[in-house]
């Protein structure tokens, strides 16, 4: 019998799930039990899975590859040189007309 509905993506991301499980267990998170239960429903990890997880742990998270590099840097790495952004002038205060004393406010309305 093949994998049940939804099992294929879990198998594809087994290594990531093992990594999350390890992080939750290290943090003594109560959610580690959810991951334990989920992982017990999958086939046992292979030696390659264990080695890949160990390598991911050793390497740490990947470096940021998305950012503002295409805009260039200015000076000490600031995004824009000083004076580039000029805040808009403050808006004048909103004036609310005084309440009509002949009407009453209804309490408890939604």
């Amino acid at each position: 019998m093949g994998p049940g509905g939804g099992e294929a993506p879990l198998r594809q991301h087994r290594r990531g799930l093992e990594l999350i499980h390890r992080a939750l267990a290290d943090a003594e998170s109560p959610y580690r039990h959810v991951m334990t239960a989920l992982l017990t429903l999958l086939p046992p990890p292979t030696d390659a899975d264990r080695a890949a997880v160990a390598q991911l742990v050793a390497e740490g998270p990947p470096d940021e590859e998305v950012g503002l590099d295409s805009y260039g840097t200015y000076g000490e790495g600031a995004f824009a040189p000083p004076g580039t952004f000029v805040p808009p002038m403050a808006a004048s205060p909103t004036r609310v007309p005084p309440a009509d004393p002949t009407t009453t406010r209804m309490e408890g309305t939604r």
Side-chain angles (χ1 to χ4, degrees):
M1 182 176 195
E7 188 175 329
L10 295 174
R11 285 183 180 206
Q12 289 172 338
H13 298 284
R14 169 76 190 229
R15 295 170 181 179
L17 294 172
E18 290 283 352
L19 191 62
I20 293 169
H21 179 254
R22 183 177 290 193
L24 292 173
D26 288 348
E28 297 182 4
S29 167
Y31 297 106
R32 70 187 183 273
H33 304 298
V34 174
M35 291 301 293
T36 300
L38 176 69
L39 291 170
T40 60
L41 298 174
L42 298 175
T46 64
D47 290 338
D49 290 332
R50 287 188 198 92
V53 170
Q55 182 178 356
L56 287 170
V57 169
E59 291 174 354
D63 291 335
E64 180 69 35
E65 294 180 7
V66 178
L68 302 172
D69 289 343
S70 60
Y71 292 100
T73 58
Y74 301 95
E76 299 281 319
F79 175 68
T84 300
F85 174 74
V86 178
M89 296 198 45
S92 36
T94 303
R95 306 231 184 258
V96 178
D100 183 353
T102 61
T103 61
T104 60
R105 182 175 157 195
M106 296 183 61
E107 296 293 326
T109 60
R110 296 181 193 193

XYZ file of all heavy atoms in Angstrom:
810
model
N 0.846 -1.178 0.000
C 0.000 0.000 0.000
C 0.894 1.244 0.000
O 1.849 1.341 0.758
C -0.887 -0.045 1.240
C -1.839 1.084 1.341
S -2.853 0.762 2.796
C -4.133 1.859 2.544
N 0.572 2.195 -0.841
C 1.372 3.413 -0.974
C 1.043 4.427 0.105
O 0.207 4.195 0.980
N 1.725 5.552 0.036
C 1.490 6.591 1.033
C 0.061 7.121 0.954
O -0.526 7.200 -0.108
C 2.498 7.685 0.681
C 3.115 7.325 -0.604
C 2.728 5.927 -0.942
N -0.471 7.481 2.122
C -1.816 8.046 2.183
C -1.811 9.493 1.721
O -0.762 10.078 1.444
N -2.998 10.054 1.621
C -3.131 11.444 1.196
C -2.343 12.380 2.102
O -2.449 12.304 3.315
N -1.540 13.212 1.516
C -0.755 14.174 2.280
C 0.580 13.653 2.780
O 1.386 14.416 3.301
N 0.818 12.369 2.640
C 2.075 11.821 3.154
C 3.263 12.150 2.258
O 4.387 12.321 2.741
C 1.966 10.301 3.313
C 3.161 9.705 4.023
C 3.004 8.219 4.298
O 1.876 7.746 4.501
O 4.035 7.536 4.301
N 3.020 12.273 0.963
C 4.122 12.536 0.022
C 4.879 13.818 0.380
O 6.112 13.801 0.448
C 3.598 12.575 -1.410
N 4.194 14.962 0.640
C 4.974 16.153 0.994
C 5.724 16.002 2.313
O 6.820 16.540 2.482
C 3.942 17.279 1.083
C 2.617 16.695 0.810
C 2.784 15.254 0.474
N 5.159 15.241 3.236
C 5.855 15.012 4.502
C 7.121 14.193 4.271
O 8.164 14.474 4.869
C 4.939 14.315 5.502
C 3.729 15.126 5.955
C 2.824 14.280 6.838
C 4.153 16.389 6.667
N 7.033 13.210 3.394
C 8.224 12.415 3.069
C 9.270 13.281 2.363
O 10.461 13.154 2.624
C 7.854 11.231 2.168
C 7.160 10.112 2.890
C 6.905 8.965 1.928
N 6.226 7.870 2.594
C 6.306 6.619 2.202
N 7.019 6.300 1.140
N 5.664 5.682 2.845
N 8.802 14.151 1.465
C 9.733 15.016 0.719
C 10.468 15.968 1.654
O 11.612 16.341 1.390
C 8.975 15.831 -0.329
C 8.470 15.007 -1.494
C 7.557 15.824 -2.395
O 6.986 16.832 -1.999
N 7.421 15.371 -3.636
N 9.826 16.368 2.722
C 10.422 17.347 3.643
C 10.823 16.712 4.967
O 10.935 17.389 5.987
C 9.446 18.504 3.858
C 9.155 19.250 2.603
N 10.043 20.133 2.037
C 8.077 19.215 1.779
C 9.520 20.615 0.924
N 8.341 20.079 0.740
N 11.062 15.418 4.926
C 11.426 14.660 6.135
C 12.616 15.294 6.859
O 12.615 15.421 8.078
C 11.756 13.208 5.741
C 12.399 12.354 6.810
C 11.332 11.965 7.760
N 11.802 11.333 8.957
C 11.291 10.216 9.416
N 10.372 9.579 8.742
N 11.689 9.744 10.560
N 13.632 15.674 6.120
C 14.848 16.224 6.742
C 14.541 17.536 7.461
O 15.025 17.778 8.563
C 15.940 16.396 5.699
C 16.378 15.065 5.134
C 17.274 15.193 3.943
N 17.636 13.870 3.452
C 18.408 13.660 2.406
N 18.930 14.670 1.741
N 18.672 12.428 2.018
N 13.742 18.384 6.833
C 13.347 19.636 7.470
C 12.510 19.398 8.713
O 12.668 20.075 9.730
N 11.620 18.406 8.635
C 10.797 18.073 9.800
C 11.668 17.544 10.938
O 11.434 17.872 12.109
C 9.730 17.037 9.420
C 8.669 17.520 8.431
C 7.798 16.358 7.975
C 7.840 18.630 9.034
N 12.668 16.749 10.606
C 13.595 16.241 11.630
C 14.359 17.399 12.274
O 14.575 17.412 13.483
C 14.594 15.256 11.009
C 13.989 13.934 10.589
C 13.715 12.985 11.733
O 14.120 13.256 12.885
O 13.081 11.942 11.475
N 14.737 18.370 11.470
C 15.460 19.533 11.981
C 14.571 20.353 12.917
O 15.005 20.777 13.995
C 15.953 20.384 10.807
C 16.940 21.487 11.119
C 18.227 20.920 11.703
C 17.248 22.267 9.852
N 13.325 20.570 12.520
C 12.380 21.284 13.377
C 12.157 20.505 14.669
O 12.142 21.078 15.767
C 11.050 21.527 12.640
C 11.262 22.502 11.482
C 9.978 22.038 13.596
C 10.078 22.597 10.539
N 12.017 19.188 14.544
C 11.826 18.346 15.732
C 13.002 18.487 16.687
O 12.831 18.626 17.902
C 11.638 16.880 15.312
C 11.460 15.960 16.463
N 12.449 15.107 16.876
C 10.420 15.783 17.304
C 12.017 14.427 17.922
N 10.788 14.819 18.206
N 14.195 18.481 16.139
C 15.394 18.602 16.976
C 15.413 19.954 17.689
O 15.717 20.041 18.876
C 16.653 18.428 16.132
C 17.921 18.464 16.971
C 19.144 18.230 16.140
N 19.192 16.845 15.693
C 20.265 16.283 15.168
N 21.373 16.978 15.013
N 20.236 15.039 14.784
N 15.073 21.028 16.967
C 15.063 22.362 17.574
C 14.005 22.460 18.671
O 14.255 23.028 19.742
C 14.816 23.417 16.502
N 12.830 21.879 18.433
C 11.777 21.899 19.448
C 12.185 21.080 20.671
O 11.918 21.486 21.813
C 10.469 21.365 18.867
C 9.796 22.237 17.801
C 8.611 21.514 17.187
C 9.368 23.570 18.388
N 12.835 19.945 20.437
C 13.284 19.108 21.554
C 14.376 19.828 22.351
O 14.345 19.817 23.587
C 13.791 17.768 21.027
N 15.305 20.481 21.658
C 16.368 21.218 22.351
C 15.796 22.344 23.205
O 16.319 22.659 24.270
C 17.375 21.793 21.349
C 18.249 20.717 20.711
O 18.230 19.555 21.201
O 18.942 21.029 19.721
N 14.702 22.954 22.731
C 14.066 24.048 23.459
C 13.064 23.537 24.494
O 12.439 24.329 25.183
C 13.360 24.981 22.473
N 12.919 22.221 24.577
C 11.951 21.583 25.479
C 10.540 22.129 25.262
O 9.760 22.304 26.186
C 12.387 21.731 26.933
C 13.700 21.033 27.220
C 14.135 21.123 28.673
O 13.379 21.663 29.511
O 15.244 20.652 28.955
N 10.218 22.397 23.994
C 8.900 22.915 23.625
C 7.859 21.802 23.734
O 8.130 20.652 23.373
C 8.935 23.435 22.192
O 7.627 23.657 21.710
N 6.661 22.117 24.185
C 5.609 21.099 24.204
C 5.234 20.644 22.792
O 4.688 19.561 22.616
C 4.432 21.784 24.902
C 4.712 23.245 24.832
C 6.201 23.393 24.727
N 5.541 21.451 21.793
C 5.228 21.077 20.409
C 6.118 19.960 19.892
O 5.845 19.380 18.847
C 5.315 22.304 19.498
C 4.298 23.358 19.865
C 4.684 24.525 20.511
C 2.955 23.175 19.589
C 3.755 25.489 20.867
C 2.015 24.126 19.941
C 2.420 25.282 20.578
O 1.498 26.235 20.927
N 7.170 19.647 20.608
C 8.043 18.548 20.175
C 7.263 17.240 20.136
O 7.538 16.368 19.323
C 9.261 18.439 21.075
C 8.994 17.938 22.478
C 10.246 18.019 23.357
N 10.044 17.477 24.677
C 9.568 18.150 25.717
N 9.228 19.421 25.579
N 9.418 17.570 26.891
N 6.261 17.131 21.000
C 5.453 15.906 21.031
C 4.609 15.768 19.760
O 4.396 14.653 19.273
C 4.564 15.883 22.269
C 5.334 16.020 23.549
N 6.286 15.102 23.946
C 5.310 16.971 24.506
C 6.806 15.478 25.101
N 6.236 16.610 25.465
N 4.148 16.885 19.241
C 3.384 16.859 17.986
C 4.286 16.374 16.860
O 3.894 15.526 16.049
C 2.816 18.263 17.665
C 2.144 18.287 16.299
C 1.856 18.713 18.749
N 5.517 16.903 16.820
C 6.448 16.479 15.770
C 6.832 15.014 15.942
O 6.964 14.292 14.952
C 7.696 17.364 15.768
C 7.445 18.786 15.305
S 6.775 18.902 13.628
C 8.157 18.322 12.687
N 7.000 14.585 17.174
C 7.324 13.176 17.419
C 6.215 12.292 16.863
O 6.476 11.297 16.175
C 7.515 12.907 18.925
O 8.583 13.722 19.395
C 7.815 11.449 19.199
N 4.973 12.656 17.169
C 3.835 11.868 16.682
C 3.785 11.857 15.160
O 3.563 10.808 14.545
C 2.535 12.426 17.264
N 4.015 13.005 14.553
C 3.988 13.086 13.099
C 5.076 12.213 12.482
O 4.830 11.453 11.539
C 4.169 14.545 12.660
C 4.262 14.782 11.162
C 2.932 14.520 10.498
C 4.733 16.192 10.880
N 6.281 12.303 13.026
C 7.401 11.550 12.458
C 7.241 10.048 12.639
O 7.750 9.270 11.825
C 8.719 12.040 13.056
C 9.116 13.453 12.615
C 10.295 13.967 13.437
C 9.429 13.505 11.142
N 6.533 9.626 13.673
C 6.331 8.179 13.859
C 5.401 7.609 12.796
O 5.387 6.391 12.585
C 5.769 7.851 15.255
O 4.521 8.513 15.422
C 6.732 8.245 16.342
N 4.633 8.464 12.129
C 3.737 7.996 11.071
C 4.461 7.801 9.741
O 3.921 7.182 8.835
C 2.585 8.985 10.885
C 1.672 9.171 12.104
C 0.674 10.286 11.848
C 0.965 7.877 12.446
N 5.673 8.338 9.654
C 6.463 8.206 8.426
C 7.429 7.030 8.554
O 7.736 6.593 9.663
C 7.259 9.496 8.186
C 6.442 10.761 7.969
C 7.358 11.975 7.876
C 5.589 10.642 6.726
N 7.922 6.546 7.423
C 8.946 5.504 7.501
C 10.158 6.050 8.266
O 10.394 7.256 8.289
C 9.304 5.227 6.038
C 8.159 5.752 5.244
C 7.564 6.868 6.044
N 10.937 5.169 8.894
C 12.107 5.634 9.659
C 13.093 6.386 8.757
O 13.183 6.119 7.560
C 12.751 4.340 10.178
C 11.740 3.279 9.986
C 10.797 3.730 8.928
N 13.829 7.358 9.336
C 14.803 8.086 8.518
C 15.918 7.160 8.060
O 16.316 6.237 8.772
C 15.325 9.165 9.461
C 15.051 8.672 10.836
C 13.842 7.795 10.733
N 16.408 7.432 6.868
C 17.531 6.653 6.333
C 18.833 7.228 6.888
O 18.850 8.309 7.491
C 17.553 6.740 4.793
O 17.790 8.107 4.430
C 16.245 6.257 4.182
N 19.926 6.514 6.645
C 21.242 7.035 7.035
C 21.526 8.352 6.323
O 22.109 9.269 6.898
C 22.344 6.015 6.723
C 22.271 4.801 7.649
O 21.687 4.925 8.749
O 22.812 3.749 7.266
N 21.075 8.447 5.063
C 21.270 9.686 4.301
C 20.483 10.835 4.930
O 20.965 11.971 4.993
C 20.848 9.492 2.849
N 19.264 10.538 5.410
C 18.468 11.570 6.095
C 19.183 12.051 7.349
O 19.302 13.252 7.592
C 17.089 11.023 6.494
C 16.172 10.784 5.318
O 16.316 11.467 4.286
O 15.281 9.905 5.438
N 19.680 11.120 8.146
C 20.374 11.475 9.393
C 21.626 12.310 9.104
O 21.904 13.294 9.785
C 20.743 10.221 10.169
C 19.556 9.552 10.822
C 20.027 8.416 11.750
N 18.930 7.517 12.032
C 18.630 6.424 11.346
N 19.363 6.059 10.318
N 17.601 5.675 11.687
N 22.366 11.914 8.074
C 23.578 12.652 7.713
C 23.238 14.058 7.216
O 23.915 15.032 7.562
C 24.368 11.896 6.641
N 22.170 14.176 6.431
C 21.762 15.484 5.912
C 21.311 16.402 7.043
O 21.654 17.588 7.060
C 20.643 15.323 4.884
N 20.576 15.866 8.015
C 20.139 16.671 9.158
C 21.347 17.117 9.975
O 21.446 18.282 10.378
C 19.116 15.900 10.020
C 18.839 16.636 11.330
C 17.821 15.687 9.255
N 22.292 16.216 10.199
C 23.505 16.568 10.947
C 24.277 17.672 10.223
O 24.798 18.599 10.855
C 24.379 15.336 11.147
N 24.325 17.594 8.892
C 25.028 18.621 8.117
C 24.299 19.956 8.216
O 24.927 21.004 8.372
C 25.152 18.192 6.661
C 25.917 19.199 5.814
C 26.080 18.734 4.378
O 25.683 17.630 4.017
N 26.652 19.586 3.564
N 22.965 19.937 8.136
C 22.193 21.167 8.270
C 22.410 21.808 9.638
O 22.553 23.027 9.747
C 20.697 20.885 8.066
C 20.245 20.591 6.643
C 18.801 20.093 6.640
C 20.386 21.823 5.773
N 22.455 21.001 10.678
C 22.685 21.516 12.025
C 24.069 22.151 12.110
O 24.241 23.245 12.661
C 22.522 20.398 13.074
C 23.015 20.845 14.436
C 21.075 19.947 13.157
N 25.072 21.476 11.544
C 26.447 21.977 11.607
C 26.607 23.280 10.822
O 27.328 24.180 11.247
C 27.409 20.920 11.074
N 25.930 23.395 9.682
C 26.068 24.576 8.834
C 25.287 25.770 9.357
O 25.643 26.914 9.086
C 25.592 24.264 7.414
C 26.489 23.311 6.663
C 25.918 22.915 5.314
O 24.757 23.289 4.996
O 26.624 22.224 4.568
N 24.217 25.532 10.069
C 23.374 26.626 10.538
C 22.503 27.145 9.412
O 22.508 26.616 8.306
N 21.756 28.211 9.684
C 20.854 28.732 8.661
C 21.631 29.331 7.492
O 22.756 29.802 7.666
C 20.049 29.809 9.395
C 20.838 30.144 10.602
C 21.683 28.950 10.935
N 21.028 29.336 6.315
C 21.716 29.890 5.138
C 21.838 31.409 5.249
O 21.082 32.060 5.965
C 20.805 29.501 3.974
C 19.462 29.309 4.579
C 19.702 28.830 5.982
N 22.810 31.954 4.520
C 22.963 33.402 4.458
C 21.810 34.002 3.672
O 21.257 33.362 2.774
C 24.285 33.778 3.773
C 25.493 33.402 4.623
O 25.347 33.321 5.856
O 26.579 33.189 4.045
N 21.496 35.228 3.995
C 20.442 35.941 3.269
C 20.879 36.146 1.829
O 21.969 36.648 1.571
C 20.187 37.297 3.934
C 19.132 38.121 3.269
C 17.734 37.557 3.420
O 17.437 36.992 4.475
O 16.954 37.675 2.463
N 20.037 35.746 0.894
C 20.364 35.900 -0.515
C 19.468 36.902 -1.206
O 19.658 37.222 -2.363
C 20.265 34.545 -1.226
C 21.306 33.558 -0.731
C 21.216 32.220 -1.429
O 20.436 32.087 -2.390
O 21.922 31.300 -1.011
N 18.468 37.381 -0.506
C 17.536 38.342 -1.071
C 17.703 39.631 -0.289
O 17.787 39.620 0.921
C 16.085 37.835 -0.938
C 15.106 38.848 -1.485
C 15.928 36.501 -1.628
N 17.761 40.727 -0.968
C 17.918 41.976 -0.242
C 17.939 43.161 -1.165
O 17.386 43.127 -2.264
N 18.620 44.177 -0.731
C 18.633 45.439 -1.454
C 19.956 45.696 -2.155
O 20.250 46.830 -2.527
C 18.323 46.574 -0.473
C 16.982 46.432 0.250
C 16.855 47.492 1.327
C 15.839 46.531 -0.731
N 20.763 44.656 -2.362
C 22.062 44.838 -3.001
C 21.950 45.496 -4.370
O 22.825 46.261 -4.774
C 22.790 43.509 -3.143
C 23.276 42.972 -1.808
O 23.329 43.767 -0.849
O 23.587 41.779 -1.734
N 20.882 45.217 -5.088
C 20.757 45.787 -6.429
C 20.609 47.309 -6.389
O 20.825 47.977 -7.381
C 19.568 45.171 -7.153
O 18.375 45.435 -6.430
N 20.263 47.856 -5.236
C 20.153 49.303 -5.101
C 21.493 49.948 -4.751
O 21.611 51.154 -4.722
C 19.126 49.663 -4.019
C 17.722 49.309 -4.415
C 17.123 48.158 -3.936
C 17.001 50.115 -5.290
C 15.836 47.829 -4.307
C 15.721 49.786 -5.669
C 15.134 48.641 -5.178
O 13.867 48.312 -5.546
N 22.468 49.148 -4.456
C 23.767 49.673 -4.090
C 23.797 50.094 -2.631
O 22.790 50.085 -1.947
N 24.974 50.419 -2.157
C 25.101 50.877 -0.786
C 25.697 52.272 -0.784
O 26.351 52.692 -1.737
C 25.999 49.934 0.037
O 27.272 49.865 -0.598
C 25.400 48.546 0.134
N 25.473 52.960 0.286
C 25.964 54.326 0.425
C 26.745 54.423 1.720
O 26.292 53.959 2.758
C 24.799 55.316 0.458
C 23.949 55.259 -0.777
C 22.799 54.486 -0.816
C 24.298 55.972 -1.920
C 22.008 54.434 -1.950
C 23.523 55.922 -3.053
C 22.379 55.157 -3.064
O 21.610 55.112 -4.187
N 27.878 55.032 1.668
C 28.639 55.290 2.885
C 28.932 54.037 3.669
O 29.517 53.093 3.169
N 28.501 54.008 4.897
C 28.783 52.905 5.816
C 27.774 51.769 5.668
O 27.462 51.090 6.632
C 28.763 53.433 7.253
C 29.794 54.499 7.525
C 31.174 53.911 7.741
O 31.275 52.877 8.418
O 32.136 54.488 7.229
N 27.218 51.594 4.495
C 26.265 50.514 4.278
C 24.831 50.922 4.504
O 23.938 50.095 4.468
N 24.586 52.199 4.739
C 23.213 52.658 4.906
C 22.476 52.516 3.587
O 23.085 52.573 2.517
C 23.191 54.111 5.373
N 21.184 52.341 3.638
C 20.419 52.155 2.414
C 20.423 53.417 1.561
O 20.560 53.366 0.360
C 18.983 51.746 2.756
C 18.103 51.648 1.553
C 18.301 50.669 0.608
C 17.089 52.558 1.345
C 17.495 50.580 -0.513
C 16.282 52.483 0.225
C 16.482 51.495 -0.697
N 20.290 54.566 2.161
C 20.265 55.813 1.400
C 21.121 56.840 2.119
O 21.211 56.827 3.333
C 18.833 56.313 1.271
N 21.730 57.742 1.367
C 22.561 58.759 2.017
C 21.710 59.704 2.857
O 20.525 59.880 2.591
C 23.215 59.491 0.850
C 22.391 59.183 -0.339
C 21.719 57.876 -0.090
N 22.322 60.302 3.870
C 21.575 61.246 4.708
C 20.949 62.345 3.858
O 21.527 62.809 2.880
C 22.640 61.819 5.643
C 23.741 60.810 5.636
C 23.699 60.155 4.290
N 19.755 62.744 4.229
C 19.057 63.804 3.522
C 18.253 63.330 2.328
O 17.555 64.111 1.694
N 18.337 62.057 1.991
C 17.589 61.551 0.844
C 16.099 61.576 1.120
O 15.310 61.968 0.279
C 18.024 60.115 0.499
O 19.412 60.148 0.183
C 17.260 59.560 -0.666
N 15.722 61.151 2.307
C 14.315 61.131 2.661
C 13.984 62.380 3.456
O 14.597 62.664 4.475
C 13.979 59.895 3.498
C 12.569 59.891 4.012
C 11.516 59.628 3.166
C 12.304 60.178 5.340
C 10.211 59.629 3.632
C 11.006 60.180 5.815
C 9.949 59.906 4.959
N 13.039 63.135 2.963
C 12.583 64.324 3.670
C 11.136 64.055 4.079
O 10.272 63.852 3.220
C 12.664 65.575 2.769
C 12.147 66.800 3.488
C 14.089 65.769 2.286
N 10.884 64.034 5.387
C 9.510 63.747 5.833
C 8.542 64.802 5.317
O 8.913 65.971 5.160
C 9.594 63.794 7.356
C 11.041 63.833 7.689
C 11.793 64.250 6.484
N 7.299 64.417 5.057
C 6.308 65.394 4.595
C 5.956 66.364 5.718
O 6.168 66.075 6.891
C 5.105 64.530 4.217
C 5.276 63.288 5.023
C 6.760 63.086 5.174
N 5.431 67.499 5.335
C 4.996 68.475 6.334
C 3.818 67.901 7.102
O 3.013 67.141 6.559
C 4.603 69.781 5.653
C 5.776 70.450 4.955
S 5.544 72.184 4.560
C 4.857 72.862 6.001
N 3.723 68.249 8.365
C 2.626 67.767 9.201
C 1.303 68.338 8.698
O 1.231 69.496 8.281
C 2.868 68.168 10.650
N 0.282 67.526 8.729
C -1.044 67.978 8.319
C -1.641 68.846 9.416
O -1.350 68.671 10.592
C -1.937 66.765 8.061
N -2.483 69.789 9.004
C -3.127 70.611 10.021
C -4.141 69.768 10.776
O -4.656 68.785 10.257
C -3.797 71.824 9.384
O -4.343 71.522 8.142
N -4.413 70.123 12.027
C -5.314 69.300 12.836
C -6.713 69.246 12.242
O -7.168 70.189 11.608
C -5.316 69.999 14.200
C -4.595 71.284 14.033
C -3.919 71.278 12.704
N -7.362 68.131 12.451
C -8.736 67.966 11.997
C -9.653 68.636 13.001
O -9.535 68.424 14.203
C -9.085 66.463 11.893
O -8.159 65.852 11.010
C -10.489 66.258 11.384
N -10.543 69.453 12.499
C -11.474 70.146 13.375
C -12.825 69.444 13.307
O -13.381 69.233 12.242
C -11.626 71.597 12.949
C -10.289 72.315 12.851
C -10.320 73.605 13.607
N -9.064 74.333 13.432
C -8.115 74.352 14.348
N -8.273 73.706 15.467
N -7.000 75.016 14.148
N -13.315 69.080 14.484
C -14.607 68.406 14.575
C -15.605 69.436 15.077
O -15.361 70.094 16.094
C -14.535 67.206 15.548
C -15.890 66.546 15.687
C -13.495 66.226 15.077
N -16.745 69.568 14.380
C -17.717 70.546 14.845
C -18.260 70.129 16.210
O -18.338 68.945 16.526
C -18.813 70.524 13.775
C -18.601 69.278 13.001
C -17.177 68.879 13.181
N -18.627 71.095 17.032
C -19.155 70.756 18.358
C -20.442 69.955 18.227
O -21.181 70.072 17.251
C -19.395 72.114 19.019
C -19.299 73.139 17.947
C -18.604 72.510 16.776
N -20.703 69.125 19.215
C -21.906 68.289 19.214
C -23.148 69.152 19.363
O -23.124 70.188 20.022
C -21.832 67.274 20.344
N -24.209 68.713 18.747
C -25.491 69.411 18.843
C -26.088 69.098 20.211
O -26.375 67.942 20.511
C -26.407 68.939 17.718
C -27.745 69.661 17.688
O -28.036 70.453 18.612
O -28.501 69.421 16.732
N -26.270 70.101 21.063
C -26.778 69.828 22.426
C -28.215 69.334 22.437
O -28.683 68.816 23.448
C -26.652 71.177 23.135
C -26.589 72.206 22.060
C -26.029 71.507 20.852
N -28.944 69.424 21.338
C -30.330 68.973 21.335
C -30.463 67.481 21.082
O -31.519 66.912 21.242
C -31.154 69.734 20.251
O -30.561 69.455 18.971
C -31.165 71.225 20.534
N -29.370 66.845 20.656
C -29.413 65.398 20.463
C -28.680 64.728 21.610
O -27.796 65.299 22.234
C -28.753 65.001 19.128
O -27.384 65.408 19.159
C -29.467 65.641 17.964
N -29.054 63.494 21.908
C -28.380 62.751 22.971
C -27.652 61.589 22.353
O -28.039 61.045 21.313
C -29.376 62.225 24.017
O -30.304 61.365 23.346
C -30.109 63.366 24.707
N -26.625 61.179 23.024
C -25.829 60.025 22.573
C -26.493 58.760 23.060
O -26.867 58.647 24.222
C -24.428 60.134 23.145
C -23.531 59.057 22.727
C -22.162 59.332 23.254
N -21.474 58.059 23.305
C -20.378 57.829 23.960
N -19.806 58.780 24.632
N -19.821 56.652 23.951
N -26.659 57.801 22.175
C -27.288 56.530 22.564
C -26.216 55.602 23.091
O -25.277 55.283 22.389
C -28.015 55.908 21.363
C -29.162 56.752 20.882
S -30.051 55.963 19.532
C -30.623 54.486 20.282
N -26.379 55.182 24.320
C -25.417 54.282 24.953
C -25.745 52.843 24.576
O -26.904 52.473 24.437
C -25.457 54.429 26.468
C -25.046 55.795 26.957
C -23.578 56.090 26.701
O -22.771 55.155 26.769
O -23.268 57.247 26.445
N -24.687 52.030 24.426
C -24.866 50.605 24.208
C -25.185 50.225 22.775
O -25.472 49.074 22.513
N -25.172 51.138 21.848
C -25.424 50.768 20.467
C -24.139 50.239 19.844
O -23.057 50.572 20.276
C -25.945 51.977 19.649
O -24.974 52.990 19.694
C -27.282 52.459 20.180
N -24.289 49.458 18.842
C -23.115 48.874 18.184
C -22.928 49.418 16.821
O -23.713 49.699 16.060
C -23.230 47.355 18.102
C -23.232 46.752 19.460
C -23.331 45.275 19.332
N -23.637 44.751 20.659
C -23.559 43.513 20.990
N -23.181 42.640 20.126
N -23.858 43.100 22.167
